[in-house]
Amino acid sequence: MLIRGRAGLAVNKPTEPVPTGWVWVPVNSVARQETGHTPSRSRPEWWGGDIPWIGIRDARLHHGGVIYDTLQTTNPLGLANSSARLLPKGTVCLSRTASVGYVTVMGRDMATSQDFVTWTCSEALVPEFLVKALIAEGEGLRKFGKGTTHTTIYFPEIRALHICLPPLAEQKRIVAKLDTLSAKSARARNELARIETLVSRYKQAVLRSAFLGQMTSEWRTRNAALQTASDLIDCTPTPPQPRGGRDATDRVIQGKAALAVNTPPRQAPPKWQWVPLSRIARQETGHTPSRSHPEWWDGDIPWIGIKDAGAHHGRIIEETIQTTNEEGLANSAARLLPAGTVCLSRTASVGYVTIMGKPMATSQDFVTWTCTEALVPKFLMYALMAEGDDIREFGKGTTHTTIYFPEVRAMQICLAPLEEQHEIARRIEAAFAKIDRLAKEAKRALELVGRLDEAILAKAFRGELVPQDENDEPAEKLLERIRSERQATPKAGRGRGKV
């Protein structure tokens, strides 16, 4: 049965035309094909020697490259008491079971497990060319195997595996060209991948700039008639706070931007004012209705848990994974909070921030602030986000940090004038949208680089990547010459392990 690969490999010989000087040949006619074995694990004296032994993890770590060192080693006793064999440097290894498709080249003499098929190339086949041919198939290599959940390429297919073989000189030109192009695409991938990792840093820099008063400093100068934060606070009634609980701490913790525990030494930007959050927002927490009462759950009241906050970090939340009902609220300390309430996860996963898009309840893992007219909810949300992971400094504990209520009750915010709060939120969202667009473009470009690599490999095995040279000895003539030379040489006995 013919199974045509994506590029230069097939099970059995295709009938399609080939480039000038190329020829379809069985891989085992130009390379000695073998497999490996695993010395018994019950015999520790067969392990830990000086003979590298390639397993699947090694192949994964060195996919597409040369392998010099392995995670496990065997010794002459291990080889003598198993079907494993020491194979020469330059042998090509393909994982054919468990994780199909990892390809590597031995950088020195090694043995392998039975999860591999190996080819020790003759002078007609450049090992690196075989490696590129195998990599060019990609996931398509699984077509040569059987099984869905766990694919294995069995030896009847391996013995029938063919390669479209160019002249030897052209093989070397193809390998050199692919190596050059691969190095360039690797650099491109690295640079594009850096953008994705830098996105959170860019956003954090935007937030810090905003809440240190730098983002809107010129805007503030142009709007000299702004009502100051101090005047805004003076004309805002203090919201009622829940009674009970522990008193506020008296220790001072300066945040990285516009938050602190108690009044910090950092001076506020012009027209801004440090103020206790409890002066301009009602601070509460939540609760979890008893799980032993299923009738208190699955109602029409959204109930925010840690997973919800993680999924909606930095955004307005409209729907939650779990819901409660009036009975659940009546029988717990949970309370229905109004739309616009800002939620901060204070335990388990500290630092998730979201804003309620409609009335909701929360678990006890949150502290919530229902803002007065002096505080824009998005301004508070972004101020909390501006602290980033450093918000943990307001809490206690190393493995599992929790921000306790003495610190929450003493929390202060550096409040901007009301118009400036709106302007800061608008500018942050515009900057985030731009950063997200760039990240999306980088991700798209990264995908295109991957497709370009595939296209280049396909082109290489169509004979279109490098110029052909009419002076190259055609592959068929090379093979005829090698066969003649072999016929003139006495045959050596078959070595153990050949398949």
Side-chain angles (χ1 to χ4, degrees), residues 392-422:
R392 294 173 179 272
E393 293 180 11
F394 297 161
K396 294 177 181 177
T398 51
T399 306
H400 299 290
T401 302
T402 295
I403 302 176
Y404 294 100
F405 284 103
E407 284 69 33
V408 170
R409 290 196 172 95
M411 199 174 288
Q412 298 205 12
I413 188 169
C414 196
L415 190 70
L418 192 60
E419 289 181 51
E420 192 170 355
Q421 291 182 48
H422 286 292

Side-chain angles (χ1 to χ4, degrees), residues 267-288:
Q267 188 174 356
K271 299 194 176 184
W272 292 37
Q273 176 72 44
W274 283 102
V275 59
L277 268 172
S278 60
R279 173 66 182 82
I280 53 174
R282 178 181 170 89
Q283 173 247 307
E284 301 183 61
T285 186
H287 197 257
T288 304

Side-chain angles (χ1 to χ4, degrees), residues 3 10-12 26-28 32-37 83 92 94-97 112-119 144-146 151-162 494 497-499:
I3 307 173
V11 171
N12 289 309
V27 178
N28 61 14
R32 180 182 172 88
Q33 172 223 307
E34 302 185 56
T35 186
H37 196 256
S83 297
V92 177
L94 168 70
S95 60
R96 64 177 190 88
T97 184
T112 80
S113 78
Q114 63 275 17
D115 294 315
F116 295 87
V117 57
T118 65
W119 292 279
F144 300 157
K146 293 176 182 176
T151 302
T152 295
I153 304 176
Y154 293 101
F155 285 105
E157 283 71 32
I158 289 170
R159 290 191 184 96
L161 193 64
H162 281 59
R494 290 182 61 183
K498 186 168 182 180
V499 296

Side-chain angles (χ1 to χ4, degrees), residues 79-96:
L79 297 187
N81 288 279
S82 73
S83 297
R85 200 174 82 81
L86 191 62
L87 299 168
K89 172 183 176 180
T91 294
V92 177
C93 311
L94 168 70
S95 60
R96 64 177 190 88

Side-chain angles (χ1 to χ4, degrees), residues 361-380:
T362 80
S363 78
Q364 63 275 17
D365 294 315
F366 294 87
V367 57
T368 65
W369 291 277
T370 303
C371 302
T372 64
E373 293 182 357
L375 179 59
V376 175
K378 283 187 176 180
F379 182 84
L380 174 55

Side-chain angles (χ1 to χ4, degrees), residues 52-215:
W53 180 86
I54 302 174
I56 291 292
R57 288 176 64 194
D58 299 299
R60 181 171 63 246
L61 291 170
H62 297 88
H63 177 60
V66 180
I67 182 169
Y68 293 95
D69 294 294
T70 56
L71 298 172
Q72 298 176 81
T73 58
T74 184
N75 54 40
L77 266 178
L79 297 187
N81 288 279
S82 73
S83 297
R85 200 174 82 81
L86 191 62
L87 299 168
K89 172 183 176 180
T91 294
V92 177
C93 311
L94 168 70
S95 60
R96 64 177 190 88
T97 184
S99 298
V100 172
Y102 293 128
V103 189
T104 188
V105 180
M106 294 181 182
R108 55 181 170 137
D109 295 356
M110 298 183 173
T112 80
S113 78
Q114 63 275 17
D115 294 315
F116 295 87
V117 57
T118 65
W119 292 279
T120 304
C121 300
S122 71
E123 61 269 38
L125 178 60
V126 175
E128 292 78 11
F129 182 82
L130 176 56
V131 169
K132 307 292 187 191
L134 291 163
I135 291 174
E137 297 300 322
E139 288 293 317
L141 273 172
R142 295 178 177 274
K143 289 197 307 182
F144 300 157
K146 293 176 182 176
T148 51
T149 307
H150 299 290
T151 302
T152 295
I153 304 176
Y154 293 101
F155 285 105
E157 283 71 32
I158 289 170
R159 290 191 184 96
L161 193 64
H162 281 59
I163 187 168
C164 195
L165 193 70
L168 189 61
E170 191 170 350
Q171 289 181 47
K172 294 175 181 178
R173 291 197 298 272
I174 289 171
V175 168
K177 185 68 172 180
L178 286 174
D179 285 343
T180 299
L181 294 175
S182 293
K184 290 180 179 179
S185 66
R187 286 195 296 271
R189 277 194 298 273
N190 288 338
E191 292 302 317
L192 290 168
R194 283 184 68 246
I195 293 175
E196 189 174 351
T197 60
L198 290 173
V199 163
S200 60
R201 293 186 196 175
Y202 292 156
K203 288 186 174 181
Q204 203 61 39
V206 167
L207 289 166
R208 295 275 168 94
S209 170
F211 288 95
L212 291 172
Q214 298 163 355
M215 178 184 280

